[in-house]
Amino acid sequence: MAWDEWEQLKTDAVHRQPAGMQLNQLDPGGGGGSAALPGQTGDLKVTNGDLVKIGSQAHGLYDELWGKARVAVPSSDKAAGDLSGQGFALGGGLKHVSKRWDEQLKSLMDACAHIANHMQVTKKVHAGDDHYIQRQMSSIDTLDAGFDERVGEPGKKNPAYEQKK
C-alpha cells in the first residue's frame, strides 16, 4: 500500500465519524448491548464445570507445548553451533531465532499455567462464597424462628406474623 493511499484512508475515516471515542456495541433495540437497562441483561453465571473445562484446556495446552514445542530448541541450538563452527553467518541468525523461540515459548507456557491455576483458585473462592451466603441465610431463618417462639406460645408462631382474615 502506498503512503499516499494510507493517508487518504485515514482522512476518509476521520470524515466518516464524529470526533471522540466510539465503542462498538449492539443496537440497543436489537437485543442487548451497553444501553440495556439493569436487570434486562441477566446475571453472570459460571458453573464449576465451566471453570474446570477452561483450566483443563489451559493445562492441556501447557503439556502439549512442553512435549512438542520445546523439542525444537536443543536441536536448533546444536544446528546453530555447527553452522557457526563451519563459518556460516546463518549460525548466528539461527541461534537468535532459537533464543527468541525459547523466550516466547516460556512466556506462553507461563500464561497457560497461570490460567489453569487461576481457574482452580476461582472455583474454590466461589464455592467458599456460596457456602458463606448459604450459612448467612440459614442463620437468618434460625433467628426468625427464635423471635416467633419467644413472643407467642411455645411451638406456635407469633400472632403478629399471621395473615389477617
Side-chain angles (χ1 to χ4, degrees):
M1 175 184 307
W3 186 257
D4 293 334
E5 183 180 1
W6 172 248
E7 291 298 325
Q8 183 61 42
L9 288 171
K10 289 190 331 188
T11 304
D12 292 346
V14 168
H15 292 301
R16 280 195 307 262
Q17 297 179 349
M21 185 184 335
Q22 179 179 346
L23 299 175
N24 292 339
Q25 64 184 22
L26 293 174
D27 177 24
S34 62
L37 298 173
Q40 288 182 335
T41 56
D43 293 328
L44 174 65
K45 182 178 180 183
V46 178
T47 64
N48 281 343
D50 296 330
L51 298 176
V52 168
K53 286 179 186 175
I54 294 168
S56 294
Q57 289 293 320
H59 189 2
L61 180 56
Y62 179 90
D63 288 342
E64 289 280 326
L65 291 170
W66 176 260
K68 295 181 181 174
R70 189 179 52 89
V71 174
V73 175
S75 59
S76 297
D77 287 345
K78 184 176 186 292
D82 288 347
L83 287 169
S84 294
Q86 296 174 27
F88 288 100
L90 180 62
L94 184 56
K95 179 66 177 171
H96 174 75
V97 169
S98 177
K99 180 180 175 190
R100 292 291 295 153
W101 175 268
D102 193 41
E103 291 169 358
Q104 295 297 316
L105 179 61
K106 287 177 182 174
S107 178
L108 183 57
M109 290 174 67
D110 286 347
C112 290
H114 180 75
I115 291 168
N117 292 338
H118 185 70
M119 291 300 106
Q120 289 295 322
V121 170
T122 301
K123 183 172 72 169
K124 290 178 183 175
V125 167
H126 287 297
D129 290 345
D130 288 344
H131 289 117
Y132 174 77
I133 292 168
Q134 188 177 24
R135 285 191 311 272
Q136 294 302 314
M137 297 304 290
S138 66
S139 65
I140 291 170
D141 290 341
T142 304
L143 185 62
D144 283 346
F147 280 119
D148 287 346
E149 291 183 9
R150 280 184 34 201
V151 177
E153 294 179 34
K156 294 192 177 186
K157 290 209 177 260
N158 185 339
Y161 295 117
E162 292 180 4
Q163 289 189 7
K164 296 182 181 181
K165 297 179 182 177

